[in-house]
Every structure is written in structure tokens, then in C-alpha cells.
């Protein structure tokens, strides 16, 4: 398959993926009843009146996990090309990647020892 | 104009029908199995053996009123179901069902699926945030924490496969398993993948983002009608995708004796799906602290060990 044809497929599939829900939403607009009333439009709450702003503070731990995720996700970006070319690169690249992963593991151990991986 | 465009249109239409049909079938399959495992019949009214129940559900959802909560962030609220469904569908473009039976045989097939399915975490957090409801927000935050934590071991567990196959092309990965399924030498990676993939698709016992008994319905609490249906379709598409990748990367793909390759592919994929549903019927939901520490302290080191072992064995 020619190189660009493959990505034409991808583009067409993305377009299709958008068209399916848009079509369903249009059908819904034509077929469904529409009787909004203030009670119905309230956010779900167990019988209480809903405050207009329902955002609430959430645990700061989420950010720490997000930061850790960024580190390791960037690592995987380096690992994929390395894995594809592994058979051509030889022992040196393998040792080098172990050193690279080792440095990141030191970071993980640090976070672990600092009790950042616990949910307090 | 001509042949290539005809093939393109046919592929898109067939796959659209396949994705919607599979999602509907999986809903029935799961409800029926759960019913059997809980010693009750499951859906059995609409169609033979209740087979048409999901179709009836989807039709019903289409004619239901589309409710936009008063204080919701409207554009984001409308966009979130699309953000959930479009990547789930787009991932199927590189999925091979048999030798040559693939819409677009990209040389980065596996990476495309992994990259595009990551977008769904944004959809869940957008849905949770835009609903302006505390249950939805909590569900969205949990979804984000869970999906990014299990993304890392998921992606790392597949590196062993890429390393052994020397390619990201899914057809090549299957061909590399002609003599031995990767699930045998890389059993560690396979186990990590199965657990992480179950968590990535928010399946029980990792269904915290929607934990019914604590968060009402989690991130889709405020969704109704068609928009709700698309979250559901996306979730079941991901279950199929997760099982399909497990089949292609670890279980030898479509290879097998006697039966045609497509049948083997579907048999293996449905075996993995059966296992995922079985987990749901067996295990209780775990807590978020257990979830996160399990992901970072057990799965992540194990997936790194797997890469190291696979690399080491290439030199011996």
C-alpha cells in the first residue's frame, strides 16, 4: 500500500467516526421529545437544591500521579524506536537503554521512599 | 478515481457496521454471561435469546430526550461523547482481522492504536468537568488518575513484543509468532498487559470512574439519550480492541489449524473478552489507593523487568 494512501484511510476513518455520532444526534433531534423544565435540568443530587457551581476541591495527589505519568510516558516514546531497531543496534544500545531506564527507576524509587505513591 | 477509493469507502462502511454491531453484541454477550454466572437467565425477551435487546436499547436511547444540565459547560458537554467515540472508532483502521484483511496496514499500527486510544481519557475528564456535578467530577478525576497510571505499564508491556518482532506493523507481529506465541516467552508481559488493559477500559474490578454504589454513575452521571449511548459504544469498542491487541500481540493473532484465519482471530479475541467479563463477575471493585499503588509499585516494575528479560534473552 502506498505510504500516503494509508493515511488517507486514517483521515477518512476519523471523518466517519465523527459522522456516526453526528448523524445519531441529528436523528435524536428529529425524533426525541423536548420538554425542558427547571427540575429536570438540575445536576443530580440526592434531593437537595443544586448549587450553581458544583466544582469541588479534589486531592492534590492526582497532580503527583500526573507528573509521574509524564516522566514515564516520555520514556516510552524513547523506548518504542529502540525496540523496533533492537536487532540492528546490538549490545551497546541494550546496555545504554538499561542505564537510561535505571536512572528513571531511581526516580521511581525516590518517589516510592518519599511515600508519594501512597494515597494519604 | 477507481479501485483504491472504492476499497476505501467499502472498508470505512464495513468497519462502521462492524464496530456498532460488535459493541451491541458485546452488551448482549456480557449481560447474558453475567446472568448465567449469577444463576439467572439474563436478557431473554427481545429476539432469540434476548439477542436483539441491545438494538432495542440503542433505538430507545435515540428517541429519548437529550437533557443538557442547566449549569453544564455546554460546548464541552456536547463534545465529550464525540471525543470518546471517535478515537475508539479510528483505532480500528489498523486492526488486521486476517492476512491482508486490514483497512490500512500502517507501519506504526500498534503505536497508532495506543496513541489514539489515549485520547479517551480526555473525553472522560471533559465529561466529568463539563457536567458540573460533584459525582461526575469525582468520576472524571478518578478516570484520569487511573487511566494515566495504567497507561504506563500497558505501553511498556507491549515493548517486549515490539522488541521481539522488530516492527510496529501488526501483521509483522503476528508473523513473528509463527513458531511460538509471545504469551509463552513473555508471560510476564502478557499478565501485565491483561491487567493494565482491563484497567484502561475501566472494567471491573477497576471500574472506579463509574462505581455505581459510590458515584451514581461517575463521569456519565448527567448524560442521557444518544450521548450516553456513545459513551457506552466507546467503552465496548475498547473492550474489543483490548482483547484484539492481546490476541495479535501475545496469542499468535489469526494463526491456527483447520479454521480460516478470521475465525481464529475472532475465537481468540472472544476468549479474551470472556475472561474480562469473567473477572467482572468474580472480583469486587478495589479501592483507589489500592488501585494506584498496585499500578505503580507492582505493574510498572514488572513491565520493566519484562523488557529487560526479553532484551537479555535476545543475546543468549
Amino acid at each position: 500500500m502506498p505510504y500516503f494512501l494509508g493515511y488517507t484511510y486514517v483521515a477518512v476513518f476519523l471523518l466517519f467516526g465523527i459522522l456516526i455520532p453526528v448523524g445519531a444526534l441529528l436523528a435524536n433531534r428529529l425524533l426525541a421529545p423536548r420538554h425542558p423544565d427547571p427540575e429536570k435540568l438540575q445536576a443530580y443530587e440526592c434531593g437537595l437544591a443544586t448549587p450553581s457551581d458544583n466544582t469541588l476541591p479534589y486531592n492534590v495527589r492526582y497532580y503527583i500521579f500526573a507528573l509521574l505519568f509524564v516522566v514515564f510516558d516520555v520514556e516510552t516514546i524513547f523506548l518504542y524506536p529502540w525496540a523496533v531497531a533492537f536487532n540492528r543496534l546490538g549490545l551497546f544500545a541494550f546496555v545504554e537503554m538499561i542505564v537510561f531506564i535505571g536512572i528513571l527507576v531511581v526516580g521511581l524509587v525516590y518517589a516510592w521512599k518519599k511515600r508519594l505513591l501512597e494515597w494519604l | 478515481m477507481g479501485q483504491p477509493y472504492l476499497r476505501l469507502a467499502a472498508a470505512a462502511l464495513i468497519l462502521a457496521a462492524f464496530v456498532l454491531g460488535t459493541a451491541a453484541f458485546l452488551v448482549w454477550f456480557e449481560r447474558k454471561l453475567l446472568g448465567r454466572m449469577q444463576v439467572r437467565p439474563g436478557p431473554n425477551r427481545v429476539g432469540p435469546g434476548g439477542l436483539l435487546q441491545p438494538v432495542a436499547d440503542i433505538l430507545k436511547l435515540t428517541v429519548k430526550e437529550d437533557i443538557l444540565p442547566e449549569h453544564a459547560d455546554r460546548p464541552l458537554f456536547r463534545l465529550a461523547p464525540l471525543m470518546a467515540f471517535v478515537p475508539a472508532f479510528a483505532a480500528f483502521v489498523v486492526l488486521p482481522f486476517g492476512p491482508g484483511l486490514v483497512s490500512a496496514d500502517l507501519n506504526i499500527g500498534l503505536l497508532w492504536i495506543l496513541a489514539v486510544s489515549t485520547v479517551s481519557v480526555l473525553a472522560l475528564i471533559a465529561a466529568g468537568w463539563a457536567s458540573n456535578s460533584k459525582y461526575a467530577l469525582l468520576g472524571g478525576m478518578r478516570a484520569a488518575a487511573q487511566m494515566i497510571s495504567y497507561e504506563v505499564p500497558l505501553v511498556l508491556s507491549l515493548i517486549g513484543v515490539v522488541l521481539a518482532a522488530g516492527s510496529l506493523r501488526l501483521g509483522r507481529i503476528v508473523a513473528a509468532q509463527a513458531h511460538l506465541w509471545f504469551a509463552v516467552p513473555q508471560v510476564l508481559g502478557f499478565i501485565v498487559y491483561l491487567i493494565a488493559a482491563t484497567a484502561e477500559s475501566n472494567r471491573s474490578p477497576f471500574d472506579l470512574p463509574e462505581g455505581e454504589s459510590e458515584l451514581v454513575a461517575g463521569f456519565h452521571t448527567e448524560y442521557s439519550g444518544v450521548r450516553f449511548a456513545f459513551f457506552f459504544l466507546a467503552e465496548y469498542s475498547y473492550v474489543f480492541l483490548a482483547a484484539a491487541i492481546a490476541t495479535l500481540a501475545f496469542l499468535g493473532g489469526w494463526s491456527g489449524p483447520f479454521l480460516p484465519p478470521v475465525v481464529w482471530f475472532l475465537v481468540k479475541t472472544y476468549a479474551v473478552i470472556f475472561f474480562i467479563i469473567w473477572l467482572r463477575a468474580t472480583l469486587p471493585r478495589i479501592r483507589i489507593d489500592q488501585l494506584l499503588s498496585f499500578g505503580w509499585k507492582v505493574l510498572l516494575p514488572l513491565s520493566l523487568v519484562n523488557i529487560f528479560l526479553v532484551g537479555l534473552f535476545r543475546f543468549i
Side-chain angles (χ1 to χ4, degrees), chain B residues 26-307:
Chain B
L26 279 183
V27 173
W28 173 83
F29 189 60
E30 166 156 50
R31 288 182 62 186
K32 202 74 185 170
L33 271 180
L34 282 179
R36 286 291 174 211
M37 287 172 183
Q38 294 163 359
V39 205
R40 57 187 173 83
N44 64 352
R45 295 287 144 179
V46 192
L51 198 57
L52 294 177
Q53 183 67 48
V55 180
D57 287 344
I58 289 175
L59 285 177
K60 189 188 75 178
L61 284 171
T62 317
V63 295
K64 285 288 175 190
E65 185 174 357
D66 180 26
I67 299 169
L68 263 148
E70 204 181 351
H71 299 293
D73 183 333
R74 279 155 184 272
L76 207 54
F77 189 84
R78 290 201 167 107
L79 190 64
L82 252 114
M83 276 163 68
F85 179 74
V86 174
F89 179 67
F92 278 86
V93 72
V94 293
L95 200 68
F97 292 83
L101 259 178
V102 51
S103 306
D105 193 15
L106 299 187
N107 55 0
I108 52 154
L110 187 60
L111 191 65
W112 167 255
I113 293 183
L114 290 173
V116 89
S117 55
T118 311
V119 178
S120 65
V121 66
L122 296 177
L124 302 196
I125 199 166
W129 178 264
S131 299
N132 203 358
S133 151
K134 61 181 76 144
Y135 301 105
L137 181 62
L138 281 172
M141 292 308 293
R142 279 190 187 182
Q146 170 175 335
M147 291 178 80
I148 62 173
S149 294
Y150 280 75
E151 170 112 8
V152 177
L154 177 84
V155 172
L156 289 178
S157 68
L158 286 169
I159 283 184
V161 170
V162 176
L163 205 154
S167 175
L168 286 164
R169 205 185 283 271
L170 286 161
R172 277 286 174 77
I173 292 175
V174 171
Q177 300 173 69
H179 302 295
L180 186 63
W181 293 1
F182 284 153
V184 179
Q186 302 189 24
V187 64
L188 197 58
F190 183 50
I191 294 169
V192 170
Y193 173 80
L194 269 186
I195 299 174
T198 311
E200 269 298 285
S201 39
N202 297 323
R203 303 283 309 174
S204 184
F206 304 103
D207 60 343
L208 290 100
E210 34 194 302
E212 290 87 350
S213 47
E214 39 198 277
L215 289 180
V216 189
F219 62 89
H220 58 57
T221 303
E222 300 296 332
Y223 280 88
S224 56
V226 193
R227 296 179 204 279
F228 171 73
F230 276 99
F231 275 119
F232 237 74
L233 287 177
E235 182 181 329
Y236 281 94
S237 306
Y238 280 124
V239 173
F240 185 84
L241 268 177
I245 296 177
T247 304
L248 292 169
F250 291 104
L251 299 177
W254 52 73
S255 56
F258 309 123
L259 296 171
V262 186
V263 175
W264 268 114
F265 174 74
L266 289 176
V267 163
K268 288 176 186 173
T269 305
Y270 271 94
V272 178
I273 292 172
F274 178 87
F275 178 74
I276 294 174
I277 296 172
W278 192 6
L279 281 182
R280 170 169 172 184
T282 310
L283 299 171
R285 184 182 308 132
I286 64 174
R287 292 197 315 261
I288 185 139
D289 59 326
Q290 297 169 327
L291 172 98
L292 290 172
S293 59
F294 181 66
W296 288 99
K297 293 181 184 173
V298 180
L299 288 187
L300 177 60
L302 279 184
S303 55
L304 290 174
V305 168
N306 178 56
I307 295 175

Side-chain angles (χ1 to χ4, degrees), chain A residues 24-59:
Chain A
L25 283 167
L26 277 177
N28 174 256
R29 183 155 287 202
L30 293 174
L31 296 170
R34 195 160 292 268
H35 307 295
D37 72 64
E39 297 277 300
K40 196 194 279 176
L41 294 183
Q42 278 183 15
Y44 180 85
E45 188 67 72
C46 306
L48 303 165
T50 336
S52 63
D53 183 23
N54 231 330
T55 50
L56 65 163
Y58 41 80
N59 205 321

